Amino acid sequence: MAERQRGASDTDLLARAAWLHFVGGLTQSEVAKRLDVPTTRAHRYIARAQNEGLVRIFVDVAATDCVALEADLMRTYGLAMCRVAMDVPEAGPMPLRTLSAVGATWLMQVIAARAHPVIGVGIGRTIAASVEAMGRTSAEGVRFVSLLGGLTRSGAANPYDVIHRLAQKTGAEAYLMPTPLFADTAADKAVMVGQAALAVTMGLIKDASLMVLGIGNLDAENSAPAQMLDATGELDALRARGARAEILGQFLDGEGRIVPAPHDGRVMALPLEALTGREAVAIAGGAAKTEAIEAALKSGLLTGLIIDEATARRLVERRRARPATAA
């Protein structure tokens, strides 16, 4: 038995370890004995099986407070879809574990439905974490495209870029926009957009019927667009003009109105107005982004939202508190 296990493929061992642990109910030490490997190796097998998407855990919840929150947000902001992820203990301020679990499930459902031949994908930690949490799945007939430039000023790839990871997870064609987030000038943007290398990418962006978006605030430490504009001094001017949220490198005020800015002609992305008429779903959460998410919802640009429970509650409470405050 031991010799047969040692000759098994690496993927087979990962799958066997995960099956014995999650389905068979064996402890990690019992899995180790069954596979004739050290306990530490069995632990690594199980962890790798989860990381590589071989394990999918489904929790069937018929009725929770989250359902009421979803209905409230959909009704208030005219959303066609809302998923509220139940809170789980998280080490940091960003609820990535719960957002990524729900985001990954939704993405896999969207891919399986094949309703969107071209899906545009933004940048951000929540989107990256959701893609990372996805299981491996076939996306035959679906193409993914970056919605905005993903290179930093140094020319390095943006750490939040998820296009290559989507291609690895799904086997689908995925198109990167190989440009900076902001061109140096509007003229430079026009030249880049006119290049043959970008023609396919820009055409796919126009064809995308679903946009998967992140929502940024004006915190330069946690937002790539804000960080780049902070270096030029434009971020302070945006704050002074009431900007509260960022989508695709462009900004909204607290009431969801677009805040025109000098860099709008340089951003390597579609203008926000181009989201109208498409499905636009944001994956966002966390206390620091409450105001930004509210602004994005008020804009009417979003048709769907995936959000954590605590932030959803804060949004509802903020709205309910306003009449009393005004009185």
Side-chain angles (χ1 to χ4, degrees):
M1 177 67 175
E3 289 302 319
R4 187 176 69 82
Q5 295 295 352
R6 291 192 185 100
S9 70
D10 195 40
T11 301
D12 182 59
L13 283 172
L14 299 185
R16 285 175 182 271
W19 183 269
L20 290 170
H21 181 62
F22 291 104
V23 180
L26 274 62
T27 65
Q28 292 185 6
S29 60
E30 289 171 335
V31 171
K33 289 179 182 179
R34 182 69 66 89
L35 298 181
D36 193 20
V37 297
T39 302
T40 53
R41 186 176 299 175
H43 172 76
R44 288 199 298 271
Y45 284 160
I46 294 168
R48 281 184 57 194
Q50 290 180 283
N51 291 335
E52 295 184 15
L54 298 179
V55 178
R56 302 180 189 179
I57 300 173
F58 298 93
V59 179
D60 188 5
V61 181
T64 69
D65 289 345
C66 291
V67 176
L69 288 170
E70 290 169 356
D72 192 318
L73 292 174
M74 290 173 67
R75 181 174 58 253
T76 301
Y77 297 106
L79 300 175
M81 184 278 288
C82 183
R83 302 276 178 88
V84 174
M86 284 187 287
D87 287 337
V88 297
E90 304 249 8
M94 181 75 75
L96 287 179
R97 285 180 60 195
T98 188
L99 282 175
S100 64
V102 175
T105 299
W106 173 76
L107 281 169
M108 293 178 70
Q109 290 171 342
V110 166
I111 292 168
R114 301 291 195 274
H116 300 283
V118 181
I119 299 174
V121 183
I123 62 173
R125 284 181 292 175
T126 53
I127 297 176
S130 296
V131 171
E132 194 61 36
M134 286 172 54
R136 294 188 181 276
T137 186
S138 172
E140 184 178 356
V142 177
R143 289 180 290 179
F144 299 99
V145 61
S146 293
L147 290 177
L148 66 171
L151 302 180
T152 64
R153 287 185 178 276
S154 66
N158 191 295
Y160 300 148
D161 178 65
V162 296
I163 284 296
H164 293 305
R165 194 65 176 132
L166 271 170
Q168 291 172 344
K169 291 259 184 172
T170 66
E173 294 180 358
Y175 296 80
L176 175 71
M177 189 186 295
T179 69
L181 181 57
F182 297 106
D184 288 339
T185 66
D188 288 343
K189 175 182 176 177
V191 170
M192 285 190 281
V193 170
Q195 297 298 307
L198 273 184
V200 173
T201 296
M202 299 305 294
L204 284 170
I205 291 175
K206 291 180 180 178
D207 290 341
S209 55
L210 170 64
M211 307 295 208
V212 183
L213 307 168
I215 299 173
N217 55 18
L218 274 70
D219 183 351
E221 292 185 5
N222 297 312
S223 167
Q227 185 178 49
M228 298 183 75
L229 294 174
D230 188 45
T232 65
E234 293 178 71
L235 192 60
D236 287 337
L238 282 165
R239 288 194 187 101
R241 296 173 61 194
R244 295 293 180 267
E246 173 269 321
I247 298 177
L248 296 180
Q250 297 153 81
F251 291 82
L252 304 167
D253 68 13
E255 295 303 315
R257 296 176 295 242
I258 295 173
V259 179
H263 71 265
D264 288 344
R266 300 188 290 114
V267 63
M268 296 301 297
L270 287 178
L272 291 181
E273 295 92 337
L275 294 176
T276 303
R278 314 180 199 223
E279 288 190 38
V281 178
I283 307 176
K289 289 194 176 182
T290 303
E291 188 177 21
I293 295 170
E294 184 179 51
L297 288 169
K298 287 181 176 180
S299 73
L301 296 171
L302 301 181
T303 62
L305 176 68
I306 296 173
I307 188 172
D308 63 289
E309 182 179 358
T311 307
R313 290 190 187 285
R314 281 191 293 270
L315 287 172
V316 171
E317 289 166 2
R318 281 168 64 92
R319 191 189 74 247
R320 290 175 178 171
R322 284 197 189 93
T325 301

